[in-house]
Amino acid sequence: MSVSSVFREAGQALRFNRQRSVLTTMSLAWGVACFVILYSYGDGFHLALRLAFQQVGQDLVLMFGGQTSTQAGGERAGRRVRLERADVDAIRETVPMAAAISPEMMMGGMTVVRGYRTETMMVRAVTPPYGRARNQTMGSGRWLQPEDELQKQRVAVLGAKAAEKLFGEIPPEDEEISIDGLRFTVAGVLKTKTQVANYNTPDNDCVFIPFETASLYRDLKYPDDIVWMPANPVFREVTVRQVRETLARLHNFSPNDERAVRIFVFNESMRLVDTMGIALKLLLTFIGTLTLAIGGVGLANIMLVSVTERTREIGVLKSIGATRRSVLAQFLLEAMAIVTVGGVLGVAAGWGVTVLMGTLPLLGPLFHDTSGTGDVHLKISTFAVLTSTLMLETVGLIAGLLPAIKAARLDPIEALRYE
């Protein structure tokens, strides 16, 4: 048989068994659509989780004082090490790769009053670079400026939830609040943060004031912590080591003593987030693969039934000169045609569903965030399309190969006698 004859016979067979071919194609299309949609959800979930984790800071490094665990420079082990305000300037001068560095004083339980509303809130005293290190995005107004720091201005930036508690629906900018009896002017309000990583009170519930202004409340020599970020993530480990060496020289402890100053690199915890996202995608991929496999089993059964029903036809083809190869090619072609059409329809259906659904709620309702930052955004993945196509073609090849081999091996005389 010629190549054109093989294609013609395969087409006629599919048209003759039209209902069966359509149902098999639709079952495979359903499997592909499920795979694409599930993988799309896994991708969106992973991205939403990463963005929510990064709300604490794009590449945040956090430092607290600690206690020495080894002897160094004539000092005993077990000595307390307290970070100082002067350490910030020393790090800025000696470690140029440490960017957006700021001391932080966390003053919890302060009474914040606006009109008749009184709230107990966390007040954080910080410098302007803190906004960059902590990934602070303004919803309205402005962030703290260097002039506020130099002139010890009584200005405050409110977290989104703190602003809602104090002002409700009233715009807070340029309004006055009282913090433990001292008046402050609201400079701006932060955009709502879908923040899943914290080291104290979430930013949404906090009030931020200039660090030097906090001297009205307490001594600033010993900040609670120091935050910064590497200028380039590639040199993160080197920068952390240089910062520790600088602090070791200033406070007379061993640079290898990690307990003397506790340094938390939040980006290292991102591995846990990635692991969770990858685990979910693997689970959804496994479920999608099972769906495709079930469709493949159905295709194999249909092709085996087709071989049985067309035994006499195969005998006739072989008696007029059809070779084993041509019979094998015909049945394989039928299976691959069903698989290909099913794959195209499945990808189209998956794309249509993801476009119609757009986003699915995840963290948005929890944080009362309507911006969609914390939601799962469904988007067709090229990897999912290519993977599902490859898997489907493999399933089709395997499902069609066994029946095709069975048909090719039929004895023409026995086939003609088949009732």
Side-chain angles (χ1 to χ4, degrees), residues 84-404:
E84 299 182 10
R85 174 70 175 85
D87 294 339
V88 174
D89 297 325
I91 293 172
R92 188 179 289 119
E93 293 174 1
T94 59
V95 188
M97 290 301 292
I101 185 168
S102 169
E104 180 176 23
M105 191 74 77
M106 292 184 284
M107 302 180 289
M110 301 194 79
T111 302
V112 183
V113 180
R114 183 264 167 184
Y116 295 103
R117 298 190 180 188
T118 301
E119 300 285 344
T120 300
M121 295 184 173
M122 168 66 73
V123 178
R124 297 178 184 243
V126 298
T127 59
Y130 181 91
R132 180 184 170 199
R134 289 294 320 281
N135 204 17
Q136 308 286 41
T137 303
M138 301 306 300
S140 61
R142 65 172 179 84
W143 177 246
L144 303 176
Q145 301 298 319
E147 294 77 14
D148 302 328
E149 187 76 12
L150 292 173
Q151 300 172 15
K152 296 186 180 180
Q153 295 285 349
R154 294 186 191 180
V155 293
V157 174
L158 306 180
K161 197 170 181 180
E164 183 181 350
K165 289 179 179 179
L166 293 171
F167 291 91
E169 300 297 327
I170 301 174
E173 291 78 19
D174 299 325
E175 296 289 335
E176 288 191 345
I177 60 173
S178 171
I179 302 177
D180 269 12
L182 298 179
R183 291 187 177 278
F184 282 74
T185 301
V186 177
V189 178
L190 293 176
K191 185 179 179 182
T192 301
K193 296 180 89 172
T194 53
Q195 185 178 341
V196 297
N198 297 293
Y199 58 93
N200 204 287
T201 307
D203 292 354
N204 290 331
D205 299 305
C206 292
V207 178
F208 301 86
I209 65 173
F211 189 81
E212 292 297 332
T213 307
S215 62
L216 298 170
Y217 299 103
R218 63 179 62 179
D219 183 14
L220 300 179
K221 182 178 180 180
Y222 299 106
D224 293 310
D225 59 78
I226 296 175
V227 301
W228 56 276
M229 60 181 290
N232 190 326
V234 175
F235 303 107
R236 183 185 303 113
E237 293 184 9
V238 175
T239 309
V240 169
R241 185 175 68 249
Q242 291 176 350
V243 168
R244 190 183 293 278
E245 290 172 352
T246 298
L247 293 175
R249 185 176 64 256
L250 293 172
H251 295 276
N252 200 24
F253 64 85
S254 170
N256 298 321
D257 188 356
E258 296 186 356
R259 294 185 180 179
V261 173
R262 294 169 294 162
I263 301 180
F264 297 94
V265 183
F266 273 79
N267 199 269
E268 293 179 355
S269 301
M270 186 65 76
R271 297 172 187 171
L272 177 61
V273 176
D274 289 336
T275 300
M276 293 173 59
I278 291 172
L280 177 64
K281 284 196 285 187
L282 287 175
L283 175 62
L284 296 178
T285 300
F286 177 70
I287 295 173
T289 303
L290 286 181
T291 307
L292 282 176
I294 292 171
V297 171
L299 175 63
N301 287 333
I302 292 299
M303 295 304 296
L304 284 171
V305 170
S306 179
V307 170
T308 303
E309 291 179 347
R310 295 162 61 189
T311 301
R312 287 178 61 84
E313 175 190 338
I314 296 169
V316 172
L317 290 174
K318 283 196 167 186
S319 66
I320 60 176
T323 63
R324 284 190 175 186
R325 181 176 297 179
S326 61
V327 174
L328 180 68
Q330 179 180 331
F331 278 85
L332 271 180
L333 187 61
E334 292 177 22
M336 297 308 291
I338 293 174
V339 164
T340 302
V341 175
V344 172
L345 293 176
V347 170
W351 177 82
V353 170
T354 55
V355 170
L356 288 175
M357 296 182 70
T359 59
L360 293 174
L362 182 64
L363 298 173
L366 180 64
F367 291 91
H368 304 288
D369 179 20
T370 58
S371 67
T373 304
D375 294 336
V376 177
H377 295 267
L378 299 180
K379 185 179 179 181
I380 286 291
S381 167
T382 303
F383 176 80
V385 173
L386 293 178
T387 303
S388 62
T389 301
L390 179 62
M391 291 173 59
L392 189 63
E393 295 297 329
T394 303
V395 166
L397 184 63
I398 295 173
L401 191 60
L402 296 178

